[in-house]
C-alpha cells in the first residue's frame, strides 16, 4: 500500500543551494538565463525599463562574491541569472544590505516560485494520469524564514498535505537559547512542537521525521508533548518517528543510534499515548490563532508578522511576534493563505495564564513552565480517558478530576489511561 507520494525530499528551489547548479553548469546558466530574461521581458518590456525598476546599473553583475563573474548582463543578451537564496530574501537584508538590488531579488523569488509551482503541477498531473489516487506531498523542508519560507510553504499547500521534519536535542530549546541536554518542557510550544506554526489552516499536517536526538535523557517528553498538544490540541494528522533499525523489540543498549525510536524511554510510553490519541481524549481546539499570508503581498517583499527561525541542520525552532510559539499550548495555530492582504492579529495569552500555568482553550491541558526557562517544567492531561503528569513535577499535587498524581521522581511521565478504545 502507498500512503503518500513525495515529489522531492528536503529540498526546494528556494533553498540555500539554489545557486550552486548555475555556478557549476554553463549549460544551465545559458538555459535558465534565457528563461529568466523571457520572464523579465514580459514584465518590463525593455532593458531600460528593467534597469529603472531595479534601481540602476548597480543591480547587474553584482554577485561576484557568490562566484559569478561579470558577464555584461543585459536583457537582450538573455544572460541575466535568477540569483538569490533565503539569506538575500530575508526582510532584514531586503531592507538593509540588499536594498540596492531589492527588486531584482524579488523578481528572482517570483520567477523561481513560478518554476517550482509549474514543476509540481506537471508532476501531480503525471502521477494522477498514471492512476495514483492517494495523497501527494510537495516537499517537507524549510526555505529560510519569513517571505521565502511562506512562499515555499504555499507551494507545498498547493499540492496537498503539509509535511515537515523537526528534531530536538543538543540544539535550541527556544530561539536564541541553547541547551546541551535541554527539555522542551521549560517553555511551552518550544522545540519540536514549534513546527506547528507551519501548519496550514485547511490542509492535513504531518511530521514524517522527528525524534529527540541522542544524547538526551528526556526523550519521553517527545511522544508525550506531541501526542497531547500536536495530535490532540492542534489536530495534527500523521506521525513517523525517525528512525527504526530495531529487530522487533526494545533497544539493547543506550546510544545504539543517534535516532533511536525503540529506546525504552521513548517507546515505553507509546501504548498510553497511542490509546489517548486514537481515542481522541484530548480535543482539538475550536479556538484558532491564524497567521495570515497573502502571496502577491509576499512577492512585494511585505509580510504581516515577524517570523523567526533558529535552525541547526535538522534541529529547528520557530516563533512569531503575533502568534508566539507558546500559543501552541493554548489554541490551534495555523497559517491561513488569504485572498487579500490581512493583518495578523496579536494572539493574547493572558486569559489562559492561571496559577502560573498556561491552560489550553479546551481546559484539558496545563503547562507549567520553568522559571527563567531553566531545566524544568511539566504539563498535565485531564480528560475522561487519560490522566497524566509529564516532566519535572516532583512533590507536586496534580489534581486531575477524581485522580490525584504526586510524582516522587524528579522527572517522570505518569499516565493513567483506559485500556479500552471506547471507555474512560
Amino acid at each position: 500500500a502507498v500512503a503518500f507520494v513525495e515529489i522531492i525530499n528536503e529540498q526546494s528551489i528556494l533553498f540555500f543551494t539554489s545557486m550552486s547548479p548555475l555556478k557549476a553548469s554553463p549549460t544551465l546558466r545559458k538555459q535558465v538565463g534565457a528563461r529568466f530574461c523571457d520572464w523579465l521581458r514580459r514584465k518590463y518590456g525593455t532593458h531600460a525599463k528593467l534597469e529603472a525598476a531595479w534601481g540602476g546599473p548597480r543591480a547587474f553583475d553584482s554577485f561576484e562574491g557568490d562566484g559569478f563573474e561579470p558577464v555584461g548582463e543585459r536583457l537582450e543578451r538573455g544572460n541575466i541569472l535568477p540569483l538569490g537564496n533565503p539569506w538575500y530574501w530575508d526582510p532584514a537584508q531586503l531592507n538593509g544590505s540588499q536594498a540596492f538590488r531589492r527588486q531584482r531579488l524579488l523578481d528572482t523569488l517570483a520567477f523561481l516560485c513560478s518554476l517550482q509551482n509549474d514543476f509540481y503541477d506537471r508532476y501531480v498531473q503525471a502521477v494522477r494520469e498514471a492512476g495514483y489516487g492517494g495523497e501527494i506531498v510537495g516537499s517537507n523542508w524549510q526555505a529560510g524564514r519569513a517571505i521565502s519560507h511562506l512562499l515555499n510553504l504555499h507551494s507545498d499547500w498547493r499540492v496537498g498535505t503539509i509535511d515537515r521534519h523537526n528534531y530536538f536535542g543538543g540544539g535550541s530549546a527556544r530561539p536564541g537559547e541553547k541547551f546541551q541536554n535541554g527539555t522542551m518542557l521549560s517553555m511551552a510550544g518550544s522545540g519540536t512542537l514549534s513546527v506547528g506554526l507551519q501548519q496550514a489552516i485547511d490542509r492535513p499536517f504531518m511530521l514524517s521525521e522527528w525524534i529527540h536526538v541522542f544524547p538526551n535523557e528526556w526523550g519521553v517528553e517527545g511522544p508525550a508533548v506531541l501526542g497531547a498538544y500536536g495530535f490532540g490540541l492542534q489536530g495534527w494528522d500523521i506521525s513517523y518517528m525517525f528512525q527504526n533499525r530495531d529487530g522487533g523489540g526494545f533497544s539493547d543498549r543506550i546510544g545504539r543510534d543517534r535516532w533511536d525510536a525503540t529506546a525504552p524511554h521513548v517507546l515505553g510510553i507509546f501504548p498510553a499515548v497511542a490509546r489517548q490519541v486514537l481515542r481522541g481524549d484530548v480535543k482539538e481546539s475550536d479556538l484558532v490563532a491564524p497567521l495570515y499570508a497573502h502571496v502577491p503581498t509576499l512577492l512585494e517583499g511585505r509580510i504581516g508578522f515577524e517570523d523567526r527561525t533558529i535552525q541547526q541542520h535538522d534541529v529547528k525552532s520557530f516563533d512569531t511576534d503575533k502568534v508566539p510559539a507558546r500559543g501552541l499550548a493554548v489554541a490551534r495555530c495555523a497559517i491561513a493563505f488569504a485572498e487579500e492582504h490581512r493583518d495578523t492579529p496579536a494572539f493574547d495569552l493572558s486569559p489562559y495564564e492561571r496559577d502560573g500555568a498556561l491552560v489550553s482553550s479546551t481546559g484539558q491541558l496545563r503547562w507549567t513552565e520553568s522559571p527563567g526557562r531553566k531545566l524544568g517544567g511539566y504539563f498535565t492531561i485531564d480528560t475522561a480517558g487519560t490522566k497524566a503528569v509529564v516532566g519535572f513535577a516532583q512533590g507536586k499535587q496534580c489534581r486531575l478530576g477524581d485522580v490525584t498524581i504526586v510524582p516522587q521522581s524528579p522527572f517522570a511521565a505518569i499516565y493513567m489511561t483506559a485500556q479500552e478504545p471506547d471507555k474512560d
Side-chain angles (χ1 to χ4, degrees), residues 226-420:
L226 268 62
Y229 286 92
F231 297 92
L233 189 70
Q234 296 300 318
W236 297 355
D237 300 283
I238 301 149
S239 158
Y240 294 99
M241 291 192 83
F242 186 91
Q243 64 183 333
N244 191 15
R245 294 192 178 112
D246 72 286
F250 283 124
S251 303
D252 58 358
R253 63 187 182 276
I254 294 173
R256 179 181 60 84
D257 198 312
R258 290 187 66 206
W259 310 280
D260 191 354
T262 57
H265 73 295
V266 176
L267 190 63
I269 201 177
F270 263 70
V273 174
R275 177 62 75 209
Q276 163 213 308
V277 170
L278 294 175
R279 193 168 45 216
D281 290 350
V282 178
K283 303 304 179 186
E284 182 177 335
S285 174
D286 291 328
L287 178 65
V288 178
L291 289 155
Y292 291 114
H294 178 237
V295 171
T297 302
L298 292 171
L299 291 172
E300 294 173 0
R302 296 187 290 126
I303 183 173
F305 55 90
E306 178 73 16
D307 172 79
R308 297 185 288 271
T309 299
I310 300 294
Q311 182 169 357
Q312 297 171 330
H313 303 291
D314 285 333
V315 179
K316 301 182 284 288
S317 293
F318 309 98
D319 207 349
T320 80
D321 63 336
K322 297 293 181 66
V323 179
R326 296 175 74 232
L328 292 162
V330 169
R332 185 169 181 256
C333 304
I335 300 291
F337 288 106
E339 294 184 358
E340 59 185 23
H341 178 71
R342 298 179 62 179
D343 289 330
T344 293
F347 181 59
D348 184 10
L349 289 173
S350 59
Y352 306 95
E353 295 174 342
R354 301 171 198 164
D355 302 323
L358 274 174
V359 181
S360 67
S361 60
T362 62
Q364 296 178 314
L365 305 172
R366 296 178 64 95
W367 193 321
T368 302
E369 299 169 299
S370 173
R373 308 295 186 250
K374 297 179 181 178
L375 192 70
Y378 66 97
F379 75 89
T380 61
I381 303 173
D382 184 3
T383 69
T386 298
K387 315 282 187 179
V389 179
V390 178
F392 301 83
Q394 185 176 29
K396 304 288 186 183
Q397 285 204 353
C398 301
R399 302 184 184 278
L400 310 170
D402 55 0
V403 171
T404 298
I405 300 176
V406 186
Q408 299 303 303
S409 173
F411 177 84
I414 303 170
Y415 278 70
M416 291 185 65
T417 192
Q419 295 186 43
E420 301 85 358

Side-chain angles (χ1 to χ4, degrees), residues 26-107:
T27 301
L28 277 179
R29 287 198 296 274
K30 182 177 180 180
Q31 292 177 346
V32 174
R35 291 180 71 174
F36 188 38
C37 286
D38 286 344
W39 187 91
L40 292 170
R41 195 174 292 109
R42 288 193 296 270
K43 182 174 182 178
Y44 294 108
T46 66
H47 186 85
K49 291 180 180 179
L50 172 64
E51 184 175 306
W54 281 9
R58 188 183 173 197
F60 297 84
D61 291 307
S62 58
F63 284 88
E64 286 188 82
D66 292 287
F68 294 91
E69 296 297 325
V71 294
E73 288 184 324
R74 299 244 350 148
L75 190 60
E76 59 270 19
R77 294 176 184 168
N79 63 353
I80 304 172
L81 293 176
L83 301 176
N85 65 35
W87 183 84
Y88 290 105
W89 300 317
D90 190 298
Q93 306 307 328
L94 282 177
N95 301 319
S97 67
Q98 302 303 305
F100 73 96
R101 55 182 172 192
R102 185 177 191 272
Q103 189 56 48
R104 173 175 182 156
L105 290 168
L106 291 175
D107 281 336

Side-chain angles (χ1 to χ4, degrees), residues 9-28:
N9 183 59
E10 295 193 345
Q11 186 55 279
S12 165
I13 200 169
L14 305 183
F15 194 53
F16 288 95
T17 55
S18 63
M19 291 191 287
S20 299
L22 295 175
K23 189 184 305 182
S25 170
T27 301
L28 277 179

Side-chain angles (χ1 to χ4, degrees), residues 59-296:
F60 297 84
D61 291 307
S62 58
F63 284 88
E64 286 188 82
D66 292 287
F68 294 91
E69 296 297 325
V71 294
E73 288 184 324
R74 299 244 350 148
L75 190 60
E76 59 270 19
R77 294 176 184 168
N79 63 353
I80 304 172
L81 293 176
L83 301 176
N85 65 35
W87 183 84
Y88 290 105
W89 300 317
D90 190 298
Q93 306 307 328
L94 282 177
N95 301 319
S97 67
Q98 302 303 305
F100 73 96
R101 55 182 172 192
R102 185 177 191 272
Q103 189 56 48
R104 173 175 182 156
L105 290 168
L106 291 175
D107 281 336
T108 294
L109 183 58
F111 173 73
L112 294 178
C113 282
S114 70
L115 288 188
Q116 178 159 282
N117 290 339
D118 289 348
F119 166 64
Y120 282 180
D121 289 346
R122 292 197 309 274
Y123 192 106
V124 170
Q125 181 180 352
V127 171
R128 295 299 185 210
E129 290 176 352
Y132 174 71
E135 285 292 313
I136 301 177
V137 168
S139 187
N140 42 39
W141 208 231
Q142 177 85 10
R145 74 171 190 98
I147 297 166
S148 57
H149 149 57
L150 289 168
L151 289 169
N152 183 65
L153 182 66
H154 183 257
S155 284
D156 296 331
W157 176 89
R158 294 173 73 255
V159 174
T161 295
I162 303 299
D163 180 25
R164 286 297 180 262
H165 297 169
N166 204 10
Y167 291 79
F168 184 80
S172 296
R174 64 183 181 127
E177 183 175 282
K178 298 178 182 178
F179 290 122
Q180 185 62 32
N181 188 21
T183 168
M184 299 192 303
L185 296 170
S186 64
M187 177 181 171
S190 64
T192 306
L193 183 60
S194 69
V195 76
L197 293 176
Q198 298 193 24
Q199 178 178 209
I201 206 165
D202 53 357
R203 293 290 188 273
F205 187 71
M206 171 166 63
L207 275 184
S208 62
E209 287 188 22
W210 68 276
I211 201 168
H212 273 51
V213 181
F214 182 85
N216 187 290
E217 62 194 284
W218 321 117
V220 70
E221 72 179 5
V225 170
L226 268 62
Y229 286 92
F231 297 92
L233 189 70
Q234 296 300 318
W236 297 355
D237 300 283
I238 301 149
S239 158
Y240 294 99
M241 291 192 83
F242 186 91
Q243 64 183 333
N244 191 15
R245 294 192 178 112
D246 72 286
F250 283 124
S251 303
D252 58 358
R253 63 187 182 276
I254 294 173
R256 179 181 60 84
D257 198 312
R258 290 187 66 206
W259 310 280
D260 191 354
T262 57
H265 73 295
V266 176
L267 190 63
I269 201 177
F270 263 70
V273 174
R275 177 62 75 209
Q276 163 213 308
V277 170
L278 294 175
R279 193 168 45 216
D281 290 350
V282 178
K283 303 304 179 186
E284 182 177 335
S285 174
D286 291 328
L287 178 65
V288 178
L291 289 155
Y292 291 114
H294 178 237
V295 171

